[in-house]
Amino acid sequence: MSRTTPATATATATATATTDPYAPVEPGRTLTVTSADGAALHVEVHGPAGNPAAPAVVLAHGWTCSTAFWAAQIRELSAEHRVIAYDQRGHGRSPASEACGTEALADDLEAVLAATLAPGEPAVIAGHSMGGMTIMAAASRPGFREHAAAVLLCSTGSSALVAESLVVPLRPGRLRTWLTGRILGSRAPLGPVTRLGSRILKYATMGPGSSPAMVAACARIVHACPRRARYAWSRVLDALDLDHGVGALRVPTAVIVGTADRMTPPVHARRLAAALPDCVSLTELPGVGHMSPVEAPDLVTTKIRELVAGHVELKEGA
């Protein structure tokens, strides 16, 4: 009979991280946060347990993903930051809820901020895809404004998502929009990860230079999303209109997009940068697709660090 000790568990975790940089990171603690309508949210807190003053970073993942999507950022940032990541309702370890819409997304983010940060504590809040839309939905909320010192929007948009998508290789128009809506809103189960499924996922969501490890990580995460949640949230994204939330986002905001993003192509990022009251940077990553935190982990992590240094650490030291 073999027995796992703390030392062997740590060694195993270290070896896994070395061989697979996208392996999920064990959190320092987990908690269940209750949103405004009673929905339960799985929340993870990573970082220096003995240093509650460490600067805070909050991560909101996108459609069909989970906290595991941010593994590379959590692994790098948690040495010096308190990193808070949560599963959107219906994703990961957060149960599905009847409420499904942008107001629910905003409620959930406010609840996570209130449960994990001290009153008035500043944080950098980063959102990928639907996570960025979550931030836009919450931009005018008091609970968001209390804590948001700066924001990072990765591979996201505020409206016209289906009409602007390049997943279907046709000219813009009603046919492409209809086909895209049918594909992204399919009720079909994704099933186990296969070679064909991984190739389709890579084409739709990742850049052509994505490594096999990147594709495998994204496939594991996306295929684990329950079919009902995937379909329910696809309907929300299909009808999304958060242009008003862009104007309400009045904190320093950086925008990142991959030039090969078919899901939310660069037109969205440029539109956001032009409309944001305080856009500090627009970064277009050559050859990177929609999964920017996985495809360009170091660049995304560096941008988060820059926002912390410029807007959280200075604010706390003022």
Side-chain angles (χ1 to χ4, degrees):
M1 177 183 296
S2 62
R3 180 173 297 173
T4 302
T5 67
T8 58
T10 300
T12 301
T14 301
T16 301
T18 302
T19 57
D20 183 2
Y22 303 107
V25 183
E26 188 67 26
R29 69 184 178 103
T30 63
L31 60 155
T32 299
V33 170
T34 303
S35 192
D37 66 346
L41 304 170
H42 170 79
V43 181
E44 301 176 1
V45 181
H46 303 259
N51 184 9
V57 174
V58 180
L59 304 175
H61 69 75
W63 178 50
T64 73
C65 293
S66 68
T67 58
F69 185 78
W70 294 105
Q73 285 70 44
I74 292 171
R75 186 167 282 112
E76 290 299 316
L77 292 169
S78 59
E80 300 172 351
H81 304 74
R82 280 183 300 118
V83 183
I84 298 150
Y86 70 101
D87 285 329
Q88 303 270 20
R89 59 175 68 197
H91 295 71
R93 282 168 279 186
S94 293
S97 168
E98 291 299 321
C100 191
T102 56
E103 290 300 304
L105 292 176
D107 286 343
D108 294 351
L109 178 55
E110 274 198 307
V112 170
L113 296 176
T116 57
L117 301 176
E121 181 181 1
V124 167
I125 305 175
H128 169 260
S129 193
M130 193 173 81
M133 298 161 202
T134 300
I135 292 171
M136 289 180 260
S140 62
R141 298 286 191 93
F144 176 84
R145 291 186 170 180
E146 177 185 355
H147 296 289
V151 160
L152 176 62
L153 299 177
C154 295
S155 311
T156 191
S158 58
S159 61
L161 300 182
V162 174
E164 298 282 5
S165 171
L166 302 177
V167 171
V168 176
L170 296 175
R171 291 182 179 181
R174 293 175 63 183
L175 177 59
R176 189 181 79 176
T177 300
W178 181 82
L179 286 172
T180 302
R182 292 292 295 250
I183 292 170
L184 298 182
S186 171
R187 293 176 182 267
L190 295 182
V193 178
T194 64
R195 182 176 297 181
L196 176 60
S198 295
R199 290 179 63 184
I200 293 171
L201 180 75
K202 180 179 179 180
Y203 165 79
T205 68
M206 307 183 77
S210 299
S211 71
M214 294 174 182
V215 177
C218 288
R220 285 197 305 267
I221 295 166
V222 172
H223 280 246
C225 181
R227 174 175 51 167
R228 291 180 63 185
R230 189 184 81 235
Y231 173 76
W233 285 105
S234 75
R235 300 296 87 202
V236 175
L237 301 181
D238 189 6
L240 189 78
D241 185 355
L242 287 172
D243 291 345
H244 61 284
V246 181
L249 194 52
R250 297 180 187 145
V251 297
T253 302
V255 181
I256 287 178
V257 67
T259 62
D261 188 339
R262 291 187 172 94
M263 298 287 287
T264 52
V267 62
H268 290 288
R270 295 166 191 159
R271 202 174 288 152
L272 289 173
L276 284 164
D278 189 4
C279 181
V280 296
S281 64
L282 167 61
T283 305
E284 299 191 14
L285 305 174
V288 170
H290 185 63
M291 303 302 212
S292 49
V294 171
E295 296 179 67
D298 293 341
L299 291 171
V300 171
T301 301
T302 296
K303 184 60 66 176
I304 293 173
R305 289 186 189 277
E306 290 174 356
L307 290 171
V308 170
H311 304 287
V312 175
E313 291 175 344
L314 289 179
K315 186 172 182 179
E316 289 179 329

